[in-house]
Amino acid sequence: MPLIHGTNDRVVEPARIRLAAAGAAVVTVGAGLGLRAVTAGSLAKYGGDALYTILLLALVVLVAPRVTPLTAAVSALAISWGVEFLQLSEMTAELSQRSTVTRLVLGSTFNPPDLLWYAVGAAAGWLVHTAVRPYPARRHTGPS
């Protein structure tokens, strides 16, 4: 298994990064469910939007453990926005009526403020990923 050299000459295996990303995904789902259980209204709705994008960021890292924080955040934001714009079609609303899981994943109605809250989630996820990332983006070893 290839190794990733971290700061202070630490070596981190992609499997460990994937495990951390899976843990982050579980914690994020728990936070979303907890938020819905103890709050209502705008806080639950828009907090859930931000957490949705954070969950997607964790899933991106799970699939691609060497991804940079910026690429993970932009990818998660693009997916979130794509799903939101997909809600403009009648297909999404129809599928959401048939399945609770589909409604949770795809939503049902387009809501422009959601786009902002997805960006908030992507920014928060980027900050956390940058802070906990076990390895530098690139080490420059050649001449300047």
Side-chain angles (χ1 to χ4, degrees):
M1 177 169 288
L3 302 176
I4 299 171
H5 292 279
T7 56
N8 300 326
D9 292 322
R10 255 185 339 169
V11 176
V12 182
E13 296 178 14
R16 295 185 96 181
I17 296 169
R18 284 189 170 107
L19 183 61
V26 169
V27 168
T28 303
V29 169
L33 294 173
L35 184 65
R36 286 282 196 182
V38 299
T39 64
S42 295
L43 180 59
K45 164 95 177 87
Y46 297 123
D49 289 345
L51 287 169
Y52 179 80
T53 303
I54 292 169
L55 172 63
L56 290 173
L57 189 148
L59 295 176
V60 167
V61 175
L62 182 68
V63 170
R66 294 181 181 168
V67 69
T68 66
L70 182 60
T71 300
V74 169
S75 298
L77 182 59
I79 295 166
S80 296
W81 282 356
V83 168
E84 189 67 27
F85 283 111
L86 189 61
Q87 293 171 5
L88 290 170
S89 75
E90 293 177 18
M91 175 190 67
T92 307
E94 185 179 315
L95 289 171
S96 292
Q97 288 176 349
R98 295 181 188 177
S99 165
T100 302
V101 173
T102 304
R103 187 172 51 255
L104 289 172
V105 172
L106 297 180
S108 60
T109 351
F110 179 78
N111 185 25
D114 290 352
L115 300 171
L116 169 69
W117 291 101
Y118 295 140
V120 168
W126 172 80
L127 285 171
V128 171
H129 189 195
T130 299
V132 302
R133 190 169 187 220
Y135 51 94
R138 289 210 166 125
R139 287 189 181 168
H140 182 70
T141 57
S144 295

